[in-house]
Amino acid sequence: MQRAITLVRLRARSVGAAAEVPSPCISICRMSATNGLCEGCFRTGDEIAAWSQASEEGKRAIWRTIEQRMTAIQP
């Protein structure tokens, strides 16, 4: 999990002022039975499904949620 957090945090650095918000996907696509989040990008199934149709601001909102989740679960 720590490796996934590190990789996603690296991707998060490019979100700030990017015209096109990058996907948080790091190609570790497994849904956790414990918390219902992807073990790679920390999104819910609904967030993953909505990503391609989300506005850039909507994607930034998902990123903010991901960062909050990672902070909450990081030891």
Side-chain angles (χ1 to χ4, degrees):
M1 182 181 322
Q2 188 58 44
R3 181 172 184 271
I5 289 173
T6 299
L7 292 173
V8 173
R9 285 199 194 275
L10 287 172
R11 290 187 68 88
R13 291 181 184 171
S14 64
V15 172
E20 189 172 316
V21 178
S23 170
C25 181
I26 59 168
S27 299
I28 299 174
C29 304
R30 287 185 306 264
M31 298 307 283
S32 170
T34 306
N35 60 22
L37 299 174
C38 173
E39 293 178 4
C41 67
F42 306 98
R43 291 181 288 175
T44 64
D46 288 343
E47 290 167 341
I48 293 168
W51 184 265
S52 64
Q53 300 300 313
S55 66
E56 297 307 301
E57 186 50 42
K59 291 175 181 178
R60 284 184 178 85
I62 292 171
W63 267 107
R64 287 189 293 274
T65 301
I66 290 167
E67 290 177 8
Q68 291 170 350
R69 288 176 183 149
M70 289 188 305
T71 299
I73 63 175
Q74 192 168 20

